[in-house]
Amino acid sequence: MAKKKARELVLPIVHEINDYTSDFLKNDEPRHAFVYPDYIKHNLKHQLRDYQKQALYNLNYTQKDANVDTRFNQLLFHMATGSGKTDVMAADILYFYHEFGYQNFLFVVNTNAVIAKTRENMLNVQSPKYLFSQPLSIDGTTIELREVTRFPTNSEPGVIYLRLTTIQTLANELQTPRENGLTYGDLEKQKLIILADEAHHFSAGTKSKVDQKNRAWEYVLDRIRQSNKANRQLEFTATIDLNNDFIYEKYRDKVIFQYDLKEFQNAGYSKKIARLQANADDSEKMLNAVLLSQYRRRMAIQAGVRDFKPVILFKSNKIDVSKAARDQFLTIIDQLTAEDLAQFINKQLQTTQSSTLRQAYTYYQTVDMGSLVRELQRDFQPLNTINVNDTSSNGILGDLNDLRNLNTLEEPSNPFRAIFAVAKLSEGWDVLNLYDIVRIGEQSITPTQTNSEAQLIGRGARYNPFVYEESTSFTRRFDHSTPELQILESLHYHTINDKKYIDNLTKSFEAMQLQVEDDKDFDILTTTVKESFKRSNVYKYGKIYYNDVEDIPESEYNGLAKYSVLVAELPTVNIETATLEATAFDNQQLSGMNETRLVKVDDALVKKAMARNPFFRFNIMKKYMPTLKSVDEFMHDDHWLGQITEIQAQVSYGFEKQLDRVTQLLVVEKYLSYIQRTLIMNYKRQRGTKKFKWLPIKEAVQDYQKRVSVNYSDAGVHELIQTYDYKKAPWFVYNEAIVDKLERSLIELIQGYIDELQNKYKDVYLIRNDERNTKLKLHEFAGEVSHYTGFLPDFVLYLANESYIYQIYIEPKGSQLLDQDQWKEDLLTSISPESVDVIGENDQVKLYGVKFYVAGDARQVRESIKKFI
C-alpha cells in the first residue's frame, strides 16, 4: 500500500513575514529595518542566536501592524526543544516594556516545576540560570523585575511586574475570588502580556469536547486576553500537534515563528545522538554507561577541557523499580574489583557491536585497573547519585531541594553524576551536561510511550557549551574531528534490542524529525606509533614547525581588499526569481535557466541603497572600517567602492533586456549586503606571520583513532577511508595508515623514492598528521592575506643529514575542492627558506611547501620530491 503523503502545513503569517522581509521596496519602513536592539543586547546574559533574533523580528512585524489589536493579539512561537524559548521570552519582556510601555506580565504554565525554573531564570539574580545582565538598565534608568501576586493599580516607573502561576491555580483564583487574589475585574483595568509556556497543554478545548477541566484552562486564557484590547497572549511550545485538524485551524494564523528540531540539529545547536541497543541485563547496562561516562570525562581532561562532568540518567517505569535500581547500582560500584572490571571490559570488547564502547574499552586496556576502580568508586559514591521521582502535578523538579540539585548540574560544585528517575525529562529541566540515558527495568512499550522517549532524548540532546582551547562554542565543533573529541558532543541512549520497540521508537524519531544514529554504523580505526620510531633521536628530540599568528593592526583595514572582498573582479549578484517545482521532501538543489545583465553603478543608486541599510550610517561603518574618513571616501575611493563601477546581475531566463531603476537598486542593495557581511566577518582577525615556531615531534606524533562511517553510499571512491598495513615500512611513522585512496596513492608515490632518499639522508620519515594537532595549523602570511582560519596539511616529509633538516608540507586534494582550496596551495608554495624565519634555529632547518597532490600527480609533486634527492 502506498505511503500516505503528509499534507503541507501552510502558516500564513510566517509566509507573510518572509515575503515582507524579502521585499526591498519596503526598506524605508522602520519595521523592515528592525535590528537586534541595544536595550535587549545589553540586558541579556546570553546574546540571542540568529534564529532567536528572527523570532524577535517577526514579533516586531506583528506588533507594528495597524491592525495589531485584532490580527495579532494571540501569537505562537513554535520552537524546538532546547532552542532557547526562555531567552526569547526574556527578550520579549524587554521589547514590550521599552516599545509599548507594558509593565504587567502574567507567566502561565502547566506545572510547578516550570514555575520554579522560571523564578530562577527571571527573578533570582544569584542563580547561575539568571537570564538578565546586572544591573538591568534601559536608557540610563535602572529597571527592577518584581514578582507579584496582584498587579498594582498604580505602577511605579522602572518596574516590570511578573506574576508566575500554574494554569490550575490561576483558574481557581479567578473563579473563586479571595483577598489578595487576582480577579477578572483587576485584569480589565490595565494592559498586560500573557506568557503561556508549554502551550500545547492549553488546547484541550480545541482538541476534545470531553476533557472539560483542561478545556476550562483554555477559556480562562481567552477571557483574560479579551478583557482588554491591548492585551497580548504569547504562547511558546516545542510539541504542538499541527497535524491535528482542530489544532491547525486554531493556530494556522497565529504561528509567527517556526524553528523545528531538524533545523536546530543541522545547525549544530544540539549534541549528536546515538542509540546503543543490546540484550543486556540492567547490571551490564549500568556498568557500560558508567565506563562510557568516565571515558568521556577522561577524554575531556586529555583535551584540556576543565570542569567537564558528564551526567547519566537512569530511567525506570515505576518508582519502586527506580529505587531498587539505585540500590543495585551502588552495590555494583561498591563491590567492583580490578579483576572483575578487567574481565568485564575484555568480554565487552569481544562482543560489543558499538563503535563507541569499543573505542572506550580499547582505551581502558591501556590503563591501570586498580586506579580506575578507585576513581569510579569515588566519582559514583552514594553522595554523587540521587533518586528523584515525580508526581503528575509537580514533575521531576517538584521537590525544592531536588530542584536546586538538578537545575545546577553543570556547576563544578554540584557533585551529582547519576540521576535515577521515573519521569521523562520534564518540561523545565534545562540540564546541559546529560550524556547518557539508560532504560532500566525494560518492558514492552507502546507507540505513545516511545513518543515520550523521543521527547526525552530530544530534550537531553541540548548542547553543552564548554571551554576548549580557550574558547567557548554554543554549537558542535568536532563533527569532522577525532572520536576522542566527538564523544564530548554526543548523547547516547542505551536501550533494548527489541525489533517492535525499535520500530516504534524510530517512528517517533521520524515524527519529531529527530536525527539519531545507530552506533553500529561506525568503525573505529586505530593506528599506533612504531616502536622503532619512538627509539629514534628524531622522535625524542626532533621538532615540527608551524607559523605564529598576529592581530591585524587597525591601520591596515584601509580598503575592501583587506576584508577579502575581491574588488578587482566583476561582482555578481543573483536576483533570479523563477519559480521551480519539486515534491515537498525533494532534497535536490533546484536551479533554472538564467541569464546575466550588467548594471552600471552610479552615485544615485549607491546613496539610495546605503540610505536603506542602517549599517551604512557613518557611525556604524566606522566601527568596522576604522581608517575610513567619510561616506564620500567609502563611495569613491579606489580602496573602497570606487573600483566597483559595474555589477553583473543573474536574472531568470527571458527577463527584460534593460533593467529598470528599481531592479538596478535591488542589485546594488544586495551587493552592499554582501559587503556588510564580509566586513563584519573579517574585522578583528588574526593572520599568519612568517615566523615559524616548533612543537616536539613526540607530542605531535601519537597513537590515534578515527571514527569512520561504514555506510559508503555517499562517498566517492577516493573518499573511502580504510586502514593499510605499513608495519614493514620503517620510514612511515605509524604501523597503519588511516587514509583514503588519494592519500594512499601519495604514500605509495613517496615509497617509490624511499631508497634514493635514504641514500642521501640519515633520517627519512613520512608523518601523517593527526587532526587533533590543531596547534600545527598553517596560516596564510604572504601577500594580501584573505583567509584567516588556517589548515593542517595532511603530511610532512622529514629529511635530515649532517648538514640540513628539511620539512616538506604536502596536502592531497580531491579535484572537487581544487578551486575553493586554491588559497591553501598558495600558502604551501609560499613556504621556503627564503620566505620564513624559523624561531630559535640556524640555517640548518629549511621548510618547504609543495603544490597539491592530485589524482595522477597532475601538479608534479614527484618533481618537487626529486629536488631533494
Side-chain angles (χ1 to χ4, degrees):
M1 192 167 95
K3 187 175 182 180
K4 185 178 179 181
K5 187 175 180 180
R7 70 171 181 192
E8 182 184 2
L9 297 176
V10 178
L11 302 174
I13 306 304
V14 172
H15 289 299
E16 177 183 326
I17 295 172
N18 290 341
D19 290 344
Y20 177 84
T21 305
S22 60
D23 188 350
F24 73 97
L25 295 175
K26 305 287 188 183
N27 279 5
D28 286 336
E29 294 187 14
R31 67 175 175 171
H32 192 285
F34 178 79
V35 294
Y36 185 30
D38 284 345
Y39 68 83
I40 294 179
K41 183 190 305 182
H42 296 152
N43 283 301
L44 289 185
K45 187 183 294 184
H46 309 132
Q47 292 311 303
L48 296 187
R49 300 163 178 170
D50 287 343
Y51 65 85
Q52 294 169 324
K53 293 176 186 176
Q54 183 64 47
L56 190 63
Y57 178 96
N58 290 11
L59 176 66
N60 180 72
Y61 171 87
T62 63
Q63 299 309 298
K64 298 291 175 68
D65 188 87
N67 300 310
V68 58
D69 288 344
T70 53
R71 283 195 73 201
F72 300 121
N73 62 9
Q74 183 181 5
L75 305 171
L76 177 73
F77 295 83
H78 188 201
M79 299 174 66
T81 295
S83 62
K85 297 190 298 293
T86 315
D87 283 313
V88 173
M89 201 180 296
D92 291 348
I93 290 173
L94 297 176
Y95 169 82
F96 275 104
Y97 173 81
H98 181 270
E99 300 286 336
F100 303 104
Y102 284 82
Q103 291 184 258
N104 298 331
F105 293 84
L106 176 63
F107 178 89
V108 183
V109 76
N110 185 44
T111 64
N112 286 323
V114 181
I115 293 293
K117 182 209 75 166
T118 306
R119 188 171 283 115
E120 294 291 291
N121 288 341
M122 302 254 185
L123 295 163
N124 183 5
V125 296
Q126 304 302 322
S127 171
K129 302 281 187 177
Y130 187 64
L131 294 176
F132 298 100
S133 301
Q134 280 295 302
L136 184 58
S137 174
I138 297 178
D139 296 334
T141 301
T142 300
I143 306 300
E144 178 190 356
L145 269 168
R146 184 183 300 173
E147 185 174 10
V148 295
T149 54
R150 296 181 69 175
F151 298 112
T153 305
N154 298 307
S155 301
E156 298 177 38
V159 178
I160 294 174
Y161 300 98
L162 187 60
R163 169 71 194 271
L164 306 177
T165 181
T166 63
I167 186 65
Q168 301 94 320
T169 299
L170 181 64
N172 292 337
E173 198 171 310
L174 291 171
Q175 289 162 11
T176 311
R178 57 182 176 78
E179 188 177 358
N180 295 323
L182 275 177
T183 68
Y184 284 115
D186 293 335
L187 297 173
E188 291 172 2
K189 297 173 185 176
Q190 298 181 75
K191 62 184 183 182
L192 79 133
I193 304 293
I194 303 168
L195 302 170
D197 199 10
E198 309 299 349
H200 50 281
H201 292 295
F202 304 138
S203 292
T206 298
K207 289 188 291 186
S208 168
K209 303 305 177 187
V210 177
D211 189 350
Q212 294 297 318
K213 180 185 72 171
N214 292 339
R215 186 180 175 197
W217 299 347
E218 187 174 359
Y219 295 158
V220 165
L221 295 181
D222 289 344
R223 184 172 172 183
I224 295 172
R225 184 181 70 256
Q226 294 161 4
S227 66
N228 187 320
K229 70 175 184 179
N231 286 355
R232 305 285 181 262
Q233 183 170 326
L234 308 184
E235 302 184 27
F236 301 81
T237 183
T239 55
I240 197 91
D241 183 13
L242 293 176
N243 287 308
N244 178 297
D245 290 338
F246 298 112
I247 298 295
Y248 175 65
E249 284 307 313
K250 173 182 176 179
Y251 281 110
R252 67 186 300 274
D253 58 355
K254 296 178 177 65
V255 177
I256 65 163
F257 184 68
Q258 176 141 289
Y259 191 71
D260 63 32
L261 193 56
K262 184 176 181 180
E263 201 174 353
F264 183 65
Q265 277 190 285
N266 287 341
Y269 287 111
S270 72
K271 304 181 188 86
K272 280 201 165 184
I273 309 169
R275 186 179 68 236
L276 289 173
Q277 56 196 60
N279 291 324
D281 61 25
D282 288 344
S283 296
E284 190 171 310
K285 279 201 293 187
M286 285 178 177
L287 197 49
N288 272 329
V290 165
L291 288 167
L292 184 55
S293 180
Q294 202 67 2
Y295 175 70
R296 274 195 180 88
R297 187 170 183 274
R298 285 193 168 208
M299 291 305 99
I301 293 170
Q302 179 176 294
V305 178
R306 298 186 301 276
D307 300 324
F308 188 90
K309 188 192 65 171
V311 169
I312 309 170
L313 173 68
F314 293 100
K315 179 191 175 296
S316 306
N317 294 306
K318 298 178 181 178
I319 291 177
D320 57 346
V321 173
S322 179
K323 291 179 178 178
R326 180 170 182 254
D327 293 338
Q328 181 184 2
F329 175 84
L330 294 176
T331 300
I332 292 170
I333 298 299
D334 181 60
Q335 295 180 358
L336 198 61
T337 67
E339 183 180 354
D340 290 342
L341 186 57
Q343 187 176 357
F344 178 84
I345 289 173
N346 287 332
K347 177 188 173 186
Q348 293 295 314
L349 196 54
Q350 292 169 8
T351 60
T352 185
Q353 295 183 48
S354 161
S355 62
T356 307
L357 287 178
R358 193 160 56 245
Q359 170 188 338
Y361 292 147
T362 300
Y363 163 79
Y364 280 134
Q365 287 194 317
T366 68
V367 306
D368 178 72
M369 283 294 112
S371 298
L372 179 59
V373 167
R374 290 190 294 273
E375 185 180 307
L376 294 176
Q377 290 174 337
R378 180 187 67 242
D379 284 12
F380 291 93
Q381 61 181 295
L383 291 175
N384 294 352
T385 71
I386 185 172
N387 189 292
V388 290
N389 289 291
D390 73 333
T391 65
S392 58
S393 60
N394 291 340
I396 199 171
L397 303 182
D399 182 273
L400 286 180
N401 191 50
D402 288 347
L403 166 65
R404 283 188 292 271
N405 289 328
L406 296 179
N407 240 6
T408 59
L409 279 169
E410 301 97 335
E411 297 300 304
S413 58
N414 183 306
F416 293 108
R417 290 286 305 276
I419 314 298
F420 293 82
V422 167
K424 67 183 187 319
L425 274 177
S426 298
E427 296 156 352
W429 192 21
D430 290 330
V431 62
L432 301 178
N433 57 335
L434 179 68
Y435 282 91
D436 292 279
I437 301 173
V438 187
R439 291 192 76 225
I440 297 296
E442 300 287 4
Q443 62 182 35
S444 60
I445 193 163
T446 65
T448 301
Q449 290 170 312
T450 56
N451 289 339
S452 174
E453 302 277 288
Q455 292 169 10
L456 152 69
I457 296 165
R459 185 168 290 274
R462 295 168 185 234
Y463 186 75
N464 179 29
F466 53 83
V467 179
Y468 173 72
E469 292 189 344
E470 300 181 2
S471 71
T472 302
S473 175
F474 293 89
T475 56
R476 293 192 307 273
R477 47 189 152 179
F478 302 134
D479 281 0
H480 304 291
S481 190
T482 61
E484 293 89 347
L485 290 174
Q486 288 179 9
I487 201 169
L488 305 184
E489 298 180 332
S490 300
L491 169 78
H492 281 84
Y493 183 60
H494 306 241
T495 187
I496 53 173
N497 188 16
D498 177 81
K499 185 178 185 306
K500 184 178 179 181
Y501 166 73
I502 295 300
D503 287 345
N504 286 339
L505 189 62
T506 301
K507 289 174 185 175
S508 298
F509 291 153
E510 290 172 352
M512 286 181 62
Q513 294 187 308
L514 191 67
Q515 299 169 77
V516 180
E517 299 172 343
D518 186 335
D519 198 53
K520 292 186 292 186
D521 290 339
F522 296 88
D523 281 334
I524 299 295
L525 306 182
T526 302
T527 186
T528 54
V529 182
K530 284 187 173 73
E531 290 301 323
S532 59
F533 180 61
K534 288 183 178 180
R535 292 192 295 268
S536 71
N537 286 336
V538 172
Y539 178 81
K540 294 176 180 177
Y541 310 112
K543 304 168 185 175
I544 195 166
Y545 298 88
Y546 62 101
N547 61 329
D548 204 357
V549 294
E550 66 180 5
D551 293 330
I552 301 175
E554 288 195 347
S555 60
E556 293 197 18
Y557 289 102
N558 58 3
L560 292 176
K562 296 299 178 68
Y563 299 82
S564 301
V565 178
L566 302 176
V567 291
E569 297 181 7
L570 178 67
T572 300
V573 167
N574 190 333
I575 58 167
E576 190 176 351
T577 57
T579 301
L580 305 169
E581 184 173 353
T583 60
F585 300 101
D586 193 340
N587 292 323
Q588 291 185 332
Q589 181 68 38
L590 298 174
S591 61
M593 297 175 63
N594 57 53
E595 301 177 329
T596 60
R597 302 286 185 268
L598 208 58
V599 174
K600 301 286 185 182
V601 178
D602 59 46
D603 276 9
L605 287 172
V606 175
K607 284 180 179 178
K608 182 67 172 175
M610 290 177 65
R612 292 185 172 206
N613 187 337
F615 177 83
F616 290 101
R617 294 170 186 155
F618 183 71
N619 63 324
I620 297 177
M621 292 167 66
K622 188 71 175 173
K623 294 179 182 178
Y624 296 96
M625 295 172 270
T627 64
L628 192 67
K629 298 181 178 63
S630 66
V631 172
D632 184 72
E633 181 187 8
F634 178 75
M635 291 176 59
H636 300 110
D637 192 281
D638 282 350
H639 290 96
W640 300 100
L641 283 183
Q643 284 192 56
I644 309 299
T645 58
E646 296 174 325
I647 301 174
Q648 184 172 262
Q650 286 186 343
V651 299
S652 303
Y653 182 75
F655 207 83
E656 57 263 29
K657 297 297 181 186
Q658 186 62 41
L659 302 185
D660 57 36
R661 290 293 279 180
V662 172
T663 308
Q664 291 177 25
L665 179 59
L666 171 61
V667 171
V668 175
E669 281 190 292
K670 286 206 166 190
Y671 181 65
L672 285 181
S673 294
Y674 156 72
I675 295 287
Q676 174 186 349
R677 290 193 304 272
T678 311
L679 289 172
I680 293 172
M681 184 173 63
N682 289 323
Y683 182 55
K684 291 287 187 185
R685 302 297 293 266
Q686 288 186 318
R687 65 185 175 194
T689 71
K690 67 176 185 178
K691 295 180 178 178
F692 275 65
K693 305 189 296 187
W694 57 271
L695 185 72
I697 283 181
K698 63 184 176 183
E699 290 185 21
V701 178
Q702 297 182 351
D703 301 348
Y704 72 93
Q705 297 175 325
K706 192 172 184 69
R707 190 169 184 249
V708 178
S709 173
V710 299
N711 181 3
Y712 299 142
S713 59
D714 296 327
V717 67
H718 290 302
E719 298 169 335
L720 302 182
I721 297 174
Q722 299 179 49
T723 300
Y724 299 91
D725 189 346
Y726 278 90
K727 294 183 179 69
K728 296 180 180 179
W731 49 270
F732 191 77
V733 301
Y734 289 101
N735 285 307
E736 300 83 12
I738 304 175
V739 291
D740 61 27
K741 298 288 186 180
L742 181 64
E743 295 164 339
R744 171 83 188 284
S745 68
L746 170 63
I747 297 173
E748 291 177 329
L749 180 145
I750 293 174
Q751 185 172 12
Y753 293 100
I754 286 298
D755 289 344
E756 294 174 86
L757 288 170
Q758 288 179 335
N759 288 335
K760 186 173 178 65
Y761 299 96
K762 176 186 175 185
D763 298 308
V764 178
Y765 292 108
L766 182 63
I767 298 171
R768 172 68 162 101
N769 275 324
D770 172 13
E771 295 97 328
R772 291 173 301 181
N773 293 325
T774 53
K775 286 184 179 179
L776 293 175
K777 284 184 176 179
L778 302 177
H779 291 79
E780 197 174 22
F781 66 93
E784 292 288 344
V785 173
S786 56
H787 297 84
Y788 304 97
T789 53
F791 83 103
L792 181 69
D794 285 334
F795 293 91
V796 175
L797 180 59
Y798 184 100
L799 308 172
N801 57 23
E802 290 76 12
S803 303
Y804 296 110
I805 296 174
Y806 295 116
Q807 288 192 13
I808 301 104
Y809 303 98
I810 312 175
E811 171 80 358
K813 189 64 59 179
S815 58
Q816 77 280 10
L817 299 173
L818 290 177
D819 288 339
Q820 71 183 59
D821 284 351
Q822 181 58 46
W823 69 272
K824 296 181 181 178
E825 183 178 78
D826 295 339
L827 167 54
L828 288 173
T829 55
S830 69
I831 299 173
S832 68
E834 297 76 30
S835 62
V836 304
D837 296 330
V838 183
I839 300 173
E841 303 289 356
N842 54 30
D843 292 340
Q844 184 185 19
V845 176
K846 297 184 180 295
L847 309 180
Y848 292 89
V850 300
K851 289 186 175 183
F852 285 154
Y853 174 75
V854 297
D857 193 29
R859 302 201 176 184
Q860 301 292 306
V861 169
R862 66 182 182 276
E863 294 301 324
S864 299
I865 295 174
K866 284 181 181 178
K867 294 176 183 177
F868 296 96
I869 297 174

